[in-house]
Amino acid sequence: FTVQDAGDLGAYSLVVAGHYGNTTSNTANVRFPVYDISFTPDPGLGAHVDGLTLQPDRRILVWGSFTQMSGAPIARLARLYPSGAPDTAFAPSPDGDVEAVAVQPNGKLLVAGRFGNIGGASRARLARLEANGVLDPGFSPPFTSDPADYVTALSVQADGRIHWAGYVDGAWRVGRLLPDGTTDPAFSPIETGVGPDARIDSLTLEPSGHLLVGGPFTLIGGGSRNALARFTEEGTLESLPAGNPSNLTAVMARLPDGRLLTGGNSSNLERLLADGTKDPSFTRRTVTGGGLDALLVAESGDYFAGGGFNSRLLRVQGTSSFSYSVDGTVVSALALQEDGALVAAGDFTTVDSRARRAILRMPPEAVESRLEFSPDGVTWVRNGSLPVFWRTTLEHSTNGVVWLDAGSGVR
Protein backbone atom coordinates (compact mmCIF):
# COMPACT_ATOMS: atom_id res chain seq x y z
CA PHE A 1 0.00 0.00 0.00
CA THR A 2 1.22 3.49 -0.74
CA VAL A 3 -1.52 5.21 1.28
CA GLN A 4 -3.28 3.56 4.18
CA ASP A 5 -6.71 4.25 5.64
CA ALA A 6 -8.53 2.57 8.50
CA GLY A 7 -10.53 0.60 5.95
CA ASP A 8 -7.34 -0.95 4.58
CA LEU A 9 -6.69 -2.95 7.75
CA GLY A 10 -7.47 -6.67 7.63
CA ALA A 11 -6.51 -9.94 5.92
CA TYR A 12 -5.22 -9.98 2.34
CA SER A 13 -4.14 -12.55 -0.23
CA LEU A 14 -2.38 -11.97 -3.52
CA VAL A 15 -3.94 -13.68 -6.54
CA VAL A 16 -1.84 -14.09 -9.70
CA ALA A 17 -3.86 -15.15 -12.77
CA GLY A 18 -2.82 -16.01 -16.30
CA HIS A 19 -3.73 -18.01 -19.38
CA TYR A 20 -2.98 -21.31 -17.64
CA GLY A 21 -4.79 -20.64 -14.37
CA ASN A 22 -4.12 -18.76 -11.13
CA THR A 23 -2.44 -19.13 -7.77
CA THR A 24 -3.18 -17.55 -4.42
CA SER A 25 -0.61 -16.55 -1.82
CA ASN A 26 -0.82 -17.18 1.90
CA THR A 27 -2.97 -14.75 3.86
CA ALA A 28 -1.21 -11.70 5.33
CA ASN A 29 -2.68 -9.50 8.06
CA VAL A 30 -2.20 -5.76 7.54
CA ARG A 31 -1.76 -4.39 11.08
CA PHE A 32 0.10 -1.12 10.60
CA PRO A 33 -1.38 1.77 12.58
CA VAL A 34 -2.94 4.70 10.79
CA TYR A 35 -2.52 8.14 12.27
CA ASP A 36 -5.53 10.21 13.28
CA ILE A 37 -6.23 12.58 10.36
CA SER A 38 -8.47 14.75 12.59
CA PHE A 39 -5.52 15.56 14.90
CA THR A 40 -3.77 18.39 13.04
CA PRO A 41 -1.56 20.66 15.18
CA ASP A 42 1.05 22.35 12.99
CA PRO A 43 4.14 24.13 14.36
CA GLY A 44 5.02 25.49 10.93
CA LEU A 45 7.50 24.84 8.16
CA GLY A 46 10.95 23.92 9.43
CA ALA A 47 9.94 23.77 13.08
CA HIS A 48 10.28 20.71 15.27
CA VAL A 49 8.92 19.54 18.62
CA ASP A 50 11.47 18.31 21.15
CA GLY A 51 9.18 17.10 23.92
CA LEU A 52 5.63 16.56 25.09
CA THR A 53 3.77 15.57 28.23
CA LEU A 54 0.12 15.17 29.22
CA GLN A 55 -1.86 17.08 31.84
CA PRO A 56 -4.50 15.34 33.99
CA ASP A 57 -7.23 17.20 32.06
CA ARG A 58 -6.02 15.47 28.83
CA ARG A 59 -4.49 18.60 27.36
CA ILE A 60 -1.06 18.16 25.79
CA LEU A 61 2.02 20.28 26.53
CA VAL A 62 4.58 20.48 23.70
CA TRP A 63 7.87 22.34 23.43
CA GLY A 64 10.41 22.90 20.70
CA SER A 65 11.81 25.33 18.14
CA PHE A 66 8.46 26.65 16.90
CA THR A 67 7.32 30.29 16.97
CA GLN A 68 3.67 29.55 16.14
CA MET A 69 1.22 26.71 16.52
CA SER A 70 -1.48 26.20 13.91
CA GLY A 71 -1.27 29.90 13.06
CA ALA A 72 -1.45 31.15 16.65
CA PRO A 73 1.60 33.19 17.81
CA ILE A 74 2.81 30.78 20.51
CA ALA A 75 6.57 30.31 20.87
CA ARG A 76 8.61 27.38 22.23
CA LEU A 77 6.00 26.10 24.72
CA ALA A 78 2.37 25.43 23.77
CA ARG A 79 -0.65 23.59 25.05
CA LEU A 80 -3.02 21.63 22.85
CA TYR A 81 -6.56 20.51 23.50
CA PRO A 82 -7.13 16.75 23.14
CA SER A 83 -8.37 17.46 19.60
CA GLY A 84 -4.98 18.98 18.70
CA ALA A 85 -6.24 22.58 18.53
CA PRO A 86 -3.93 25.09 20.30
CA ASP A 87 -5.00 26.58 23.62
CA THR A 88 -4.41 30.22 22.71
CA ALA A 89 -4.94 31.36 26.32
CA PHE A 90 -1.77 29.49 27.30
CA ALA A 91 1.24 31.53 26.15
CA PRO A 92 4.08 31.72 28.71
CA SER A 93 6.52 32.58 25.84
CA PRO A 94 9.94 31.64 27.26
CA ASP A 95 12.78 33.58 25.62
CA GLY A 96 15.01 30.50 25.31
CA ASP A 97 14.80 26.80 24.60
CA VAL A 98 12.72 24.52 26.85
CA GLU A 99 14.46 21.24 27.74
CA ALA A 100 11.98 19.58 30.14
CA VAL A 101 8.47 20.01 31.56
CA ALA A 102 6.96 18.16 34.53
CA VAL A 103 3.41 18.26 35.89
CA GLN A 104 3.18 18.41 39.69
CA PRO A 105 0.47 16.52 41.61
CA ASN A 106 -1.33 19.84 42.25
CA GLY A 107 -1.52 20.54 38.50
CA LYS A 108 1.19 23.21 38.42
CA LEU A 109 3.83 22.99 35.69
CA LEU A 110 7.59 22.96 36.10
CA VAL A 111 9.46 24.25 33.05
CA ALA A 112 13.23 23.92 32.64
CA GLY A 113 15.66 24.96 29.94
CA ARG A 114 17.86 27.80 28.72
CA PHE A 115 15.51 30.77 29.16
CA GLY A 116 15.94 33.86 31.32
CA ASN A 117 12.37 35.16 31.06
CA ILE A 118 9.06 33.34 31.01
CA GLY A 119 5.49 34.40 31.66
CA GLY A 120 6.49 38.04 31.20
CA ALA A 121 8.93 38.03 34.12
CA SER A 122 12.56 37.26 34.86
CA ARG A 123 13.04 33.63 35.83
CA ALA A 124 16.25 31.83 34.90
CA ARG A 125 16.47 28.18 33.80
CA LEU A 126 13.60 26.80 35.96
CA ALA A 127 10.13 28.19 36.57
CA ARG A 128 6.80 27.05 37.87
CA LEU A 129 3.57 27.97 36.12
CA GLU A 130 0.02 27.81 37.35
CA ALA A 131 -2.19 25.42 35.38
CA ASN A 132 -3.34 28.39 33.26
CA GLY A 133 0.26 29.26 32.26
CA VAL A 134 0.72 32.24 34.58
CA LEU A 135 4.08 32.40 36.37
CA ASP A 136 4.01 31.32 40.04
CA PRO A 137 5.85 34.16 41.83
CA GLY A 138 6.23 32.10 45.01
CA PHE A 139 8.59 29.63 43.34
CA SER A 140 12.10 31.03 43.11
CA PRO A 141 14.84 28.45 42.43
CA PRO A 142 18.52 29.37 42.95
CA PHE A 143 19.62 29.62 39.31
CA THR A 144 21.26 32.57 37.60
CA SER A 145 21.02 33.86 34.04
CA ASP A 146 24.59 32.80 33.21
CA PRO A 147 24.34 32.06 29.46
CA ALA A 148 26.35 28.84 29.91
CA ASP A 149 23.88 27.36 32.41
CA TYR A 150 20.82 25.28 31.56
CA VAL A 151 18.61 22.58 33.11
CA THR A 152 18.01 19.42 31.08
CA ALA A 153 15.89 17.05 33.21
CA LEU A 154 13.30 17.07 36.00
CA SER A 155 11.69 14.50 38.28
CA VAL A 156 9.02 15.25 40.89
CA GLN A 157 8.60 13.28 44.11
CA ALA A 158 5.18 12.49 45.57
CA ASP A 159 5.88 14.95 48.43
CA GLY A 160 6.48 17.79 45.95
CA ARG A 161 10.28 17.91 46.12
CA ILE A 162 11.97 18.31 42.75
CA HIS A 163 15.11 16.70 41.35
CA TRP A 164 16.84 18.63 38.59
CA ALA A 165 19.84 17.95 36.35
CA GLY A 166 21.81 20.36 34.21
CA TYR A 167 24.97 22.25 33.47
CA VAL A 168 25.27 24.77 36.30
CA ASP A 169 28.24 26.73 37.66
CA GLY A 170 30.68 25.14 35.24
CA ALA A 171 29.82 21.46 35.71
CA TRP A 172 27.09 18.87 35.16
CA ARG A 173 25.11 18.48 38.39
CA VAL A 174 22.02 16.95 40.01
CA GLY A 175 20.24 18.70 42.87
CA ARG A 176 16.96 18.67 44.74
CA LEU A 177 14.64 21.53 45.61
CA LEU A 178 11.95 21.87 48.23
CA PRO A 179 8.39 22.49 46.97
CA ASP A 180 8.91 26.27 47.22
CA GLY A 181 11.97 26.15 44.95
CA THR A 182 14.66 26.58 47.61
CA THR A 183 17.55 24.13 47.84
CA ASP A 184 16.83 20.98 49.87
CA PRO A 185 19.58 20.79 52.54
CA ALA A 186 18.86 17.08 53.11
CA PHE A 187 20.15 16.16 49.64
CA SER A 188 23.86 16.06 48.79
CA PRO A 189 24.44 17.64 45.36
CA ILE A 190 25.77 15.27 42.68
CA GLU A 191 28.42 16.21 40.11
CA THR A 192 29.70 14.39 37.03
CA GLY A 193 32.21 16.75 35.40
CA VAL A 194 32.60 19.41 32.75
CA GLY A 195 33.00 17.74 29.31
CA PRO A 196 30.35 16.53 26.86
CA ASP A 197 30.91 12.98 28.13
CA ALA A 198 29.68 14.16 31.54
CA ARG A 199 26.20 15.18 30.31
CA ILE A 200 23.11 14.09 32.26
CA ASP A 201 20.11 13.30 30.04
CA SER A 202 17.52 11.58 32.23
CA LEU A 203 16.24 11.24 35.79
CA THR A 204 13.88 8.50 36.96
CA LEU A 205 12.51 7.99 40.46
CA GLU A 206 12.14 4.43 41.70
CA PRO A 207 9.17 3.38 43.89
CA SER A 208 11.62 3.17 46.81
CA GLY A 209 12.44 6.86 46.43
CA HIS A 210 15.91 6.20 45.05
CA LEU A 211 17.00 8.19 42.01
CA LEU A 212 18.32 6.78 38.71
CA VAL A 213 20.53 9.10 36.65
CA GLY A 214 21.34 8.41 32.99
CA GLY A 215 23.76 9.94 30.48
CA PRO A 216 27.09 9.40 28.69
CA PHE A 217 29.13 9.92 31.87
CA THR A 218 31.76 7.57 33.29
CA LEU A 219 32.24 9.34 36.64
CA ILE A 220 29.47 10.63 38.90
CA GLY A 221 29.02 11.41 42.57
CA GLY A 222 32.64 10.55 43.31
CA GLY A 223 32.45 7.05 41.80
CA SER A 224 33.00 5.26 38.50
CA ARG A 225 29.71 4.51 36.69
CA ASN A 226 29.03 3.76 33.05
CA ALA A 227 25.98 5.69 31.78
CA LEU A 228 23.68 4.79 34.68
CA ALA A 229 23.86 5.47 38.43
CA ARG A 230 21.56 5.05 41.41
CA PHE A 231 21.45 7.35 44.43
CA THR A 232 19.74 7.15 47.81
CA GLU A 233 17.12 9.68 48.86
CA GLU A 234 19.93 11.67 50.49
CA GLY A 235 22.08 11.75 47.34
CA THR A 236 24.55 8.99 48.25
CA LEU A 237 25.90 6.91 45.35
CA GLU A 238 24.80 3.27 45.43
CA SER A 239 26.43 0.29 43.79
CA LEU A 240 25.26 -1.07 40.42
CA PRO A 241 26.81 -3.99 38.53
CA ALA A 242 29.85 -2.90 36.52
CA GLY A 243 29.38 -2.39 32.79
CA ASN A 244 25.58 -2.06 32.88
CA PRO A 245 24.10 -0.88 30.66
CA SER A 246 26.11 -0.50 27.45
CA ASN A 247 24.02 2.08 25.61
CA LEU A 248 25.07 5.53 26.95
CA THR A 249 21.69 5.83 28.66
CA ALA A 250 19.74 8.87 27.45
CA VAL A 251 16.23 7.57 28.13
CA MET A 252 14.69 5.17 30.63
CA ALA A 253 11.25 3.61 31.09
CA ARG A 254 10.13 1.34 33.90
CA LEU A 255 8.00 -1.72 33.14
CA PRO A 256 5.01 -2.60 35.37
CA ASP A 257 7.02 -5.44 36.97
CA GLY A 258 9.86 -3.11 38.03
CA ARG A 259 12.34 -3.94 35.28
CA LEU A 260 13.96 -1.03 33.45
CA LEU A 261 14.30 -0.35 29.72
CA THR A 262 17.24 1.82 28.72
CA GLY A 263 18.22 3.35 25.41
CA GLY A 264 20.72 5.86 24.13
CA ASN A 265 23.07 7.04 21.44
CA SER A 266 24.70 3.63 20.94
CA SER A 267 21.47 2.35 19.30
CA ASN A 268 21.11 -0.48 21.82
CA LEU A 269 17.82 -1.12 23.62
CA GLU A 270 18.41 -3.10 26.81
CA ARG A 271 16.40 -4.33 29.78
CA LEU A 272 17.72 -4.43 33.33
CA LEU A 273 16.44 -6.21 36.41
CA ALA A 274 15.52 -4.20 39.50
CA ASP A 275 19.04 -4.62 40.91
CA GLY A 276 20.64 -3.21 37.75
CA THR A 277 21.87 -6.48 36.25
CA LYS A 278 21.07 -7.24 32.62
CA ASP A 279 17.90 -9.27 32.18
CA PRO A 280 19.06 -12.66 30.82
CA SER A 281 15.63 -13.30 29.30
CA PHE A 282 15.86 -10.20 27.11
CA THR A 283 17.64 -10.20 23.77
CA ARG A 284 19.26 -6.82 23.29
CA ARG A 285 17.72 -4.99 20.35
CA THR A 286 19.84 -2.82 18.10
CA VAL A 287 18.30 -0.22 15.81
CA THR A 288 20.19 1.05 12.78
CA GLY A 289 20.75 4.53 11.43
CA GLY A 290 20.69 6.45 14.72
CA GLY A 291 20.12 6.40 18.46
CA LEU A 292 17.11 6.22 20.80
CA ASP A 293 15.54 9.43 22.11
CA ALA A 294 12.24 8.27 23.66
CA LEU A 295 10.88 5.16 25.38
CA LEU A 296 7.31 4.55 26.52
CA VAL A 297 5.76 1.52 28.26
CA ALA A 298 2.07 0.56 28.00
CA GLU A 299 0.05 -1.23 30.67
CA SER A 300 0.25 -4.46 28.65
CA GLY A 301 4.05 -4.42 28.87
CA ASP A 302 4.38 -3.50 25.18
CA TYR A 303 6.66 -0.56 24.57
CA PHE A 304 7.36 2.11 22.00
CA ALA A 305 10.73 3.53 21.01
CA GLY A 306 11.43 6.74 19.12
CA GLY A 307 14.66 8.22 17.84
CA GLY A 308 16.86 8.96 14.86
CA PHE A 309 17.08 5.35 13.68
CA ASN A 310 15.88 4.38 10.23
CA SER A 311 12.15 3.96 10.84
CA ARG A 312 12.07 6.67 13.59
CA LEU A 313 9.29 4.86 15.52
CA LEU A 314 9.05 1.26 16.71
CA ARG A 315 6.56 -0.78 18.72
CA VAL A 316 7.58 -3.99 20.48
CA GLN A 317 4.96 -6.57 21.47
CA GLY A 318 6.53 -9.57 23.19
CA THR A 319 9.05 -11.00 20.75
CA SER A 320 7.57 -9.14 17.76
CA SER A 321 8.28 -5.60 16.64
CA PHE A 322 6.50 -3.28 14.21
CA SER A 323 8.17 -0.34 12.49
CA TYR A 324 6.27 2.77 11.50
CA SER A 325 7.11 4.69 8.35
CA VAL A 326 8.09 8.16 9.60
CA ASP A 327 10.04 10.33 7.16
CA GLY A 328 12.20 12.93 8.87
CA THR A 329 15.10 13.34 11.27
CA VAL A 330 13.88 12.07 14.63
CA VAL A 331 10.95 11.09 16.86
CA SER A 332 11.99 12.68 20.14
CA ALA A 333 8.95 12.33 22.45
CA LEU A 334 6.10 9.87 23.10
CA ALA A 335 3.01 9.84 25.31
CA LEU A 336 -0.07 7.62 25.72
CA GLN A 337 -3.45 9.26 26.19
CA GLU A 338 -5.93 7.72 28.60
CA ASP A 339 -7.77 5.91 25.78
CA GLY A 340 -4.53 4.28 24.60
CA ALA A 341 -3.88 6.64 21.66
CA LEU A 342 -0.18 7.29 21.03
CA VAL A 343 1.03 10.86 20.58
CA ALA A 344 4.48 11.25 19.01
CA ALA A 345 6.50 14.38 18.32
CA GLY A 346 9.81 15.27 16.74
CA ASP A 347 11.27 16.52 13.48
CA PHE A 348 9.40 14.80 10.62
CA THR A 349 7.26 15.73 7.66
CA THR A 350 5.41 12.59 6.52
CA VAL A 351 3.95 9.46 8.08
CA ASP A 352 2.88 6.47 6.01
CA SER A 353 3.46 8.59 2.88
CA ARG A 354 1.10 11.33 4.04
CA ALA A 355 2.02 14.85 5.13
CA ARG A 356 2.15 15.22 8.89
CA ARG A 357 4.49 17.75 10.47
CA ALA A 358 6.22 17.30 13.86
CA ILE A 359 3.21 15.96 15.86
CA LEU A 360 0.94 12.98 15.24
CA ARG A 361 -1.55 10.77 17.04
CA MET A 362 -2.06 7.06 16.40
CA PRO A 363 -5.54 5.73 17.27
CA PRO A 364 -5.60 3.10 20.02
CA GLU A 365 -5.75 -0.60 19.45
CA ALA A 366 -8.12 -2.74 21.51
CA VAL A 367 -7.83 -1.82 25.18
CA GLU A 368 -9.42 -3.09 28.36
CA SER A 369 -10.27 -1.08 31.47
CA ARG A 370 -12.93 -2.19 33.94
CA LEU A 371 -13.67 -2.50 37.66
CA GLU A 372 -14.42 -5.86 39.25
CA PHE A 373 -16.05 -6.08 42.68
CA SER A 374 -15.80 -8.93 45.17
CA PRO A 375 -16.07 -9.42 48.97
CA ASP A 376 -12.27 -9.08 49.08
CA GLY A 377 -12.16 -5.66 47.44
CA VAL A 378 -12.12 -3.86 44.11
CA THR A 379 -9.88 -4.83 41.19
CA TRP A 380 -9.07 -2.43 38.38
CA VAL A 381 -8.38 -4.53 35.28
CA ARG A 382 -6.31 -2.70 32.64
CA ASN A 383 -4.64 -4.03 29.51
CA GLY A 384 -3.62 -3.07 26.00
CA SER A 385 -1.90 0.17 24.99
CA LEU A 386 -2.99 2.14 28.06
CA PRO A 387 -0.63 4.40 30.02
CA VAL A 388 0.98 2.87 33.12
CA PHE A 389 0.03 4.25 36.54
CA TRP A 390 2.55 3.89 39.35
CA ARG A 391 0.29 5.08 42.16
CA THR A 392 -3.49 4.95 42.64
CA THR A 393 -5.77 6.06 45.44
CA LEU A 394 -9.36 4.85 45.83
CA GLU A 395 -12.39 6.63 47.29
CA HIS A 396 -15.91 5.43 48.09
CA SER A 397 -19.26 7.15 48.56
CA THR A 398 -22.75 6.16 49.65
CA ASN A 399 -24.48 9.21 48.16
CA GLY A 400 -22.29 10.32 45.26
CA VAL A 401 -21.58 13.63 47.02
CA VAL A 402 -19.30 12.88 49.96
CA TRP A 403 -16.30 10.70 49.09
CA LEU A 404 -14.10 8.98 51.67
CA ASP A 405 -10.58 7.63 51.29
CA ALA A 406 -10.53 3.86 50.69
CA GLY A 407 -6.76 3.48 50.66
CA SER A 408 -4.04 3.05 48.06
CA GLY A 409 -4.11 0.48 45.31
CA VAL A 410 -1.65 -2.42 45.21
CA ARG A 411 -0.44 -3.80 41.86
Side-chain angles (χ1 to χ4, degrees):
F1 295 94
T2 301
V3 176
Q4 296 92 21
D5 292 299
D8 293 329
L9 303 180
Y12 287 83
S13 298
L14 177 65
V15 179
V16 179
H19 181 73
Y20 297 103
N22 61 70
T23 183
T24 302
S25 71
N26 293 331
T27 300
N29 285 307
V30 179
R31 297 193 56 211
F32 45 76
V34 180
Y35 69 79
D36 183 351
I37 61 174
S38 69
F39 185 80
T40 58
D42 185 0
L45 184 66
H48 54 86
V49 175
D50 298 320
L52 66 89
T53 192
L54 304 180
Q55 293 189 194
D57 61 5
R58 299 179 60 227
R59 285 183 286 186
I60 306 163
L61 295 163
V62 297
W63 56 95
S65 69
F66 52 85
T67 57
Q68 61 91 22
M69 184 61 67
S70 299
I74 303 172
R76 297 189 179 89
L77 177 61
R79 185 164 65 191
L80 309 176
Y81 290 106
S83 65
D87 179 356
T88 56
F90 181 89
S93 301
D95 65 352
D97 291 342
V98 173
E99 297 276 347
V101 176
V103 181
Q104 292 187 292
N106 60 7
K108 294 187 177 184
L109 312 175
L110 294 167
V111 182
R114 302 171 185 259
F115 52 82
N117 288 270
I118 186 171
S122 176
R123 188 70 82 243
R125 311 305 181 251
L126 179 61
R128 185 164 66 194
L129 307 179
E130 303 290 348
N132 60 3
V134 175
L135 185 69
D136 179 355
F139 182 82
S140 187
F143 299 108
T144 70
S145 56
D146 186 325
D149 291 358
Y150 58 106
V151 177
T152 58
L154 296 170
S155 185
V156 182
Q157 296 185 180
D159 61 6
R161 288 183 290 180
I162 304 151
H163 287 102
W164 61 268
Y167 188 81
V168 176
D169 295 334
W172 283 96
R173 306 176 190 274
V174 178
R176 189 169 68 192
L177 306 177
L178 297 174
D180 64 359
T182 57
T183 299
D184 185 353
F187 184 83
S188 299
I190 302 163
E191 183 175 328
T192 61
V194 298
D197 58 349
R199 179 183 171 91
I200 298 170
D201 290 309
S202 55
L203 299 174
T204 297
L205 274 171
E206 296 188 296
S208 64
H210 292 194
L211 179 70
L212 290 172
V213 181
F217 51 78
T218 55
L219 297 171
I220 186 170
S224 176
R225 294 292 184 275
N226 181 41
L228 181 65
R230 177 191 281 142
F231 292 86
T232 67
E233 291 186 77
E234 295 76 29
T236 302
L237 183 65
E238 287 196 330
S239 61
L240 278 176
N244 292 327
S246 59
N247 55 19
L248 302 181
T249 306
V251 287
M252 296 181 273
R254 189 165 293 281
L255 293 160
D257 60 9
R259 290 178 293 181
L260 186 73
L261 287 170
T262 67
N265 294 333
S266 66
S267 305
N268 293 328
L269 180 62
E270 298 184 348
R271 189 169 69 196
L272 307 181
L273 300 176
D275 64 358
T277 57
K278 292 181 180 179
D279 185 347
S281 67
F282 183 80
T283 301
R284 184 175 70 184
R285 294 178 181 271
T286 300
V287 294
T288 57
L292 292 151
D293 292 83
L295 285 174
L296 179 66
V297 176
E299 186 67 38
S300 62
D302 298 349
Y303 56 89
F304 301 87
F309 51 90
N310 287 344
S311 68
R312 313 290 185 251
L313 184 57
L314 176 73
R315 178 173 184 169
V316 179
Q317 296 175 294
T319 59
S320 301
S321 60
F322 306 91
S323 294
Y324 302 76
S325 178
V326 179
D327 184 15
T329 303
V330 65
V331 169
S332 53
L334 302 168
L336 279 175
Q337 295 182 301
E338 63 180 17
D339 64 353
L342 174 71
V343 182
D347 184 2
F348 51 83
T349 54
T350 62
V351 180
D352 288 339
S353 302
R354 285 184 171 178
R356 176 61 76 232
R357 189 154 48 206
I359 313 173
L360 65 90
R361 182 170 64 193
M362 298 284 190
E365 294 186 357
V367 297
E368 179 182 26
S369 180
R370 69 179 190 276
L371 292 177
E372 294 182 351
F373 300 89
S374 72
D376 298 323
V378 179
T379 301
W380 187 11
V381 178
R382 293 167 52 81
N383 210 338
S385 57
L386 291 172
V388 174
F389 293 132
W390 295 106
R391 184 175 62 254
T392 61
T393 56
L394 305 178
E395 296 180 338
H396 67 95
S397 174
T398 58
N399 56 15
V401 178
V402 178
W403 293 84
L404 303 176
D405 183 19
S408 298
V410 177
R411 180 177 289 276

